Amino acid sequence: MLVETEQLIVFTVPHLTPVTVNHIYKTCYYNGRDGVAHRGKKLTPEAKAFCDAVAIFARGRSVAPLTNNERKKVRYAVRIDVYLGPNARGDFDNFWKNGLDALVYCGVIHSDACVDGEESRCVVHKDERHDPRTMYTVTRLEPKC
Protein backbone atom coordinates (compact mmCIF):
# COMPACT_ATOMS: atom_id res chain seq x y z
CA MET A 1 0.00 0.00 0.00
CA LEU A 2 1.41 3.36 -1.03
CA VAL A 3 1.13 5.93 1.75
CA GLU A 4 1.56 9.58 0.96
CA THR A 5 3.04 11.67 3.77
CA GLU A 6 1.72 15.16 4.48
CA GLN A 7 2.23 17.87 7.08
CA LEU A 8 -1.50 18.46 7.76
CA ILE A 9 -4.53 16.24 7.33
CA VAL A 10 -8.13 17.32 7.93
CA PHE A 11 -11.05 14.92 7.49
CA THR A 12 -14.51 14.18 8.87
CA VAL A 13 -16.11 10.86 9.77
CA PRO A 14 -19.85 11.48 9.30
CA HIS A 15 -22.60 9.90 11.41
CA LEU A 16 -20.17 8.26 13.84
CA THR A 17 -18.65 9.20 17.16
CA PRO A 18 -15.85 7.26 18.84
CA VAL A 19 -16.83 4.35 21.03
CA THR A 20 -16.28 4.98 24.74
CA VAL A 21 -13.31 3.34 26.43
CA ASN A 22 -15.58 0.91 28.27
CA HIS A 23 -16.73 -0.51 24.94
CA ILE A 24 -13.47 -0.71 22.95
CA TYR A 25 -12.33 -4.19 23.97
CA LYS A 26 -14.03 -7.38 25.01
CA THR A 27 -12.47 -10.34 26.75
CA CYS A 28 -11.84 -13.39 24.61
CA TYR A 29 -10.25 -16.78 25.02
CA TYR A 30 -7.99 -18.37 22.44
CA ASN A 31 -5.66 -21.34 22.11
CA GLY A 32 -2.06 -20.28 21.79
CA ARG A 33 0.73 -21.97 19.87
CA ASP A 34 1.58 -23.83 23.04
CA GLY A 35 -1.86 -25.52 22.96
CA VAL A 36 -2.96 -23.80 26.16
CA ALA A 37 -6.06 -21.62 26.46
CA HIS A 38 -5.22 -17.95 27.02
CA ARG A 39 -7.31 -14.95 28.00
CA GLY A 40 -6.93 -11.80 25.91
CA LYS A 41 -8.74 -8.78 24.49
CA LYS A 42 -10.03 -7.94 21.06
CA LEU A 43 -11.77 -4.96 19.52
CA THR A 44 -15.55 -4.95 19.74
CA PRO A 45 -17.44 -4.79 16.43
CA GLU A 46 -18.42 -1.17 17.19
CA ALA A 47 -14.81 -0.11 17.83
CA LYS A 48 -13.63 -1.97 14.71
CA ALA A 49 -16.33 -0.24 12.64
CA PHE A 50 -15.22 3.18 13.89
CA CYS A 51 -11.53 2.42 13.18
CA ASP A 52 -12.47 1.21 9.68
CA ALA A 53 -14.50 4.38 9.06
CA VAL A 54 -11.54 6.54 10.11
CA ALA A 55 -9.33 4.57 7.72
CA ILE A 56 -11.80 5.10 4.87
CA PHE A 57 -12.12 8.84 5.37
CA ALA A 58 -8.38 9.34 5.95
CA ARG A 59 -7.96 7.89 2.43
CA GLY A 60 -4.51 6.42 3.00
CA ARG A 61 -2.98 9.75 3.97
CA SER A 62 -0.41 9.96 6.75
CA VAL A 63 1.61 12.57 8.62
CA ALA A 64 3.99 9.92 9.99
CA PRO A 65 7.55 9.97 8.64
CA LEU A 66 8.61 7.01 6.54
CA THR A 67 11.89 6.20 8.29
CA ASN A 68 12.30 4.94 11.85
CA ASN A 69 15.05 7.48 12.50
CA GLU A 70 12.67 10.37 11.76
CA ARG A 71 9.85 8.72 13.76
CA LYS A 72 11.95 8.88 16.93
CA LYS A 73 11.98 12.71 16.72
CA VAL A 74 8.50 13.51 15.45
CA ARG A 75 5.59 14.96 17.47
CA TYR A 76 1.97 15.37 16.41
CA ALA A 77 -0.73 17.93 17.16
CA VAL A 78 -4.19 16.37 17.06
CA ARG A 79 -7.56 18.08 17.38
CA ILE A 80 -10.64 15.90 17.61
CA ASP A 81 -14.07 17.55 17.48
CA VAL A 82 -16.84 15.13 18.44
CA TYR A 83 -20.39 16.20 17.61
CA LEU A 84 -22.75 13.94 19.55
CA GLY A 85 -25.95 12.60 18.02
CA PRO A 86 -29.36 12.32 19.66
CA ASN A 87 -29.30 10.32 22.92
CA ALA A 88 -25.50 10.03 22.71
CA ARG A 89 -23.28 10.87 25.62
CA GLY A 90 -19.72 10.47 26.74
CA ASP A 91 -16.80 12.46 27.97
CA PHE A 92 -13.65 13.77 26.44
CA ASP A 93 -11.33 11.11 27.97
CA ASN A 94 -13.22 8.26 26.36
CA PHE A 95 -13.42 9.90 22.94
CA TRP A 96 -9.78 11.00 23.08
CA LYS A 97 -8.41 7.47 23.69
CA ASN A 98 -10.45 5.74 21.00
CA GLY A 99 -9.95 8.63 18.56
CA LEU A 100 -6.16 8.36 18.86
CA ASP A 101 -6.25 4.55 18.66
CA ALA A 102 -8.18 4.87 15.39
CA LEU A 103 -5.52 7.21 13.97
CA VAL A 104 -2.78 4.70 14.83
CA TYR A 105 -4.88 1.79 13.50
CA CYS A 106 -5.23 3.39 10.06
CA GLY A 107 -1.65 4.72 9.90
CA VAL A 108 -2.28 8.47 10.03
CA ILE A 109 0.16 8.63 12.97
CA HIS A 110 2.61 5.93 13.98
CA SER A 111 2.12 6.13 17.77
CA ASP A 112 -0.23 7.91 20.13
CA ALA A 113 2.69 8.31 22.54
CA CYS A 114 4.10 10.94 20.16
CA VAL A 115 1.07 13.23 20.44
CA ASP A 116 2.05 16.55 22.02
CA GLY A 117 -0.27 17.20 24.96
CA GLU A 118 0.19 20.96 24.87
CA GLU A 119 -0.70 21.25 21.19
CA SER A 120 -3.59 18.76 21.14
CA ARG A 121 -7.18 18.73 22.32
CA CYS A 122 -10.50 16.96 22.11
CA VAL A 123 -13.73 18.97 22.14
CA VAL A 124 -17.15 17.38 22.68
CA HIS A 125 -20.01 19.38 21.12
CA LYS A 126 -23.48 18.65 22.43
CA ASP A 127 -25.27 21.45 20.61
CA GLU A 128 -25.45 19.95 17.10
CA ARG A 129 -27.47 16.79 17.71
CA HIS A 130 -28.88 16.77 14.17
CA ASP A 131 -25.51 16.12 12.52
CA PRO A 132 -23.33 13.63 14.49
CA ARG A 133 -19.77 13.42 13.23
CA THR A 134 -16.14 13.35 14.27
CA MET A 135 -13.71 15.84 12.77
CA TYR A 136 -9.95 15.29 12.84
CA THR A 137 -7.14 17.78 12.30
CA VAL A 138 -3.70 16.14 12.50
CA THR A 139 -0.45 18.09 12.09
CA ARG A 140 3.14 16.91 12.13
CA LEU A 141 5.16 19.25 14.30
CA GLU A 142 8.76 20.16 13.58
CA PRO A 143 11.22 18.42 15.90
CA LYS A 144 12.51 20.57 18.74
CA CYS A 145 16.28 20.89 18.75
Side-chain angles (χ1 to χ4, degrees):
M1 179 172 119
L2 181 63
V3 177
E4 92 183 57
T5 301
E6 302 177 23
Q7 289 292 116
L8 171 72
I9 295 176
V10 178
F11 64 95
T12 301
V13 179
H15 307 296
L16 282 176
T17 56
V19 180
T20 63
V21 172
N22 300 334
H23 299 100
I24 293 177
Y25 297 105
K26 67 179 179 181
T27 303
C28 67
Y29 296 93
Y30 62 94
N31 289 326
R33 292 183 182 181
D34 56 2
V36 177
H38 296 276
R39 183 175 161 189
K41 294 180 181 179
K42 69 177 185 177
L43 284 176
T44 61
E46 297 85 11
K48 179 96 168 81
F50 182 76
C51 290
D52 289 342
V54 170
I56 289 168
F57 289 101
R59 296 187 178 118
R61 296 177 294 166
S62 177
V63 294
L66 298 176
T67 65
N68 284 335
N69 202 15
E70 291 175 349
R71 287 182 176 196
K72 292 177 185 176
K73 304 174 196 171
V74 74
R75 306 294 294 162
Y76 305 109
V78 178
R79 179 179 169 108
I80 303 174
D81 287 291
V82 179
Y83 295 86
L84 296 176
N87 301 323
R89 61 185 191 149
D91 62 358
F92 130 86
D93 292 338
N94 292 330
F95 296 135
W96 181 246
K97 172 70 174 137
N98 195 20
L100 289 180
D101 286 347
L103 290 175
V104 173
Y105 174 85
C106 68
V108 172
I109 62 176
H110 78 282
S111 172
D112 58 355
C114 295
V115 174
D116 189 333
E118 294 178 4
E119 300 284 331
S120 302
R121 64 185 297 187
C122 178
V123 180
V124 179
H125 303 272
K126 298 178 182 177
D127 54 349
E128 291 191 37
R129 302 274 183 179
H130 64 281
D131 187 17
R133 64 194 183 277
T134 303
M135 297 175 61
Y136 285 94
T137 305
V138 185
T139 308
R140 181 172 29 167
L141 301 174
E142 294 300 320
K144 295 179 181 177
C145 298

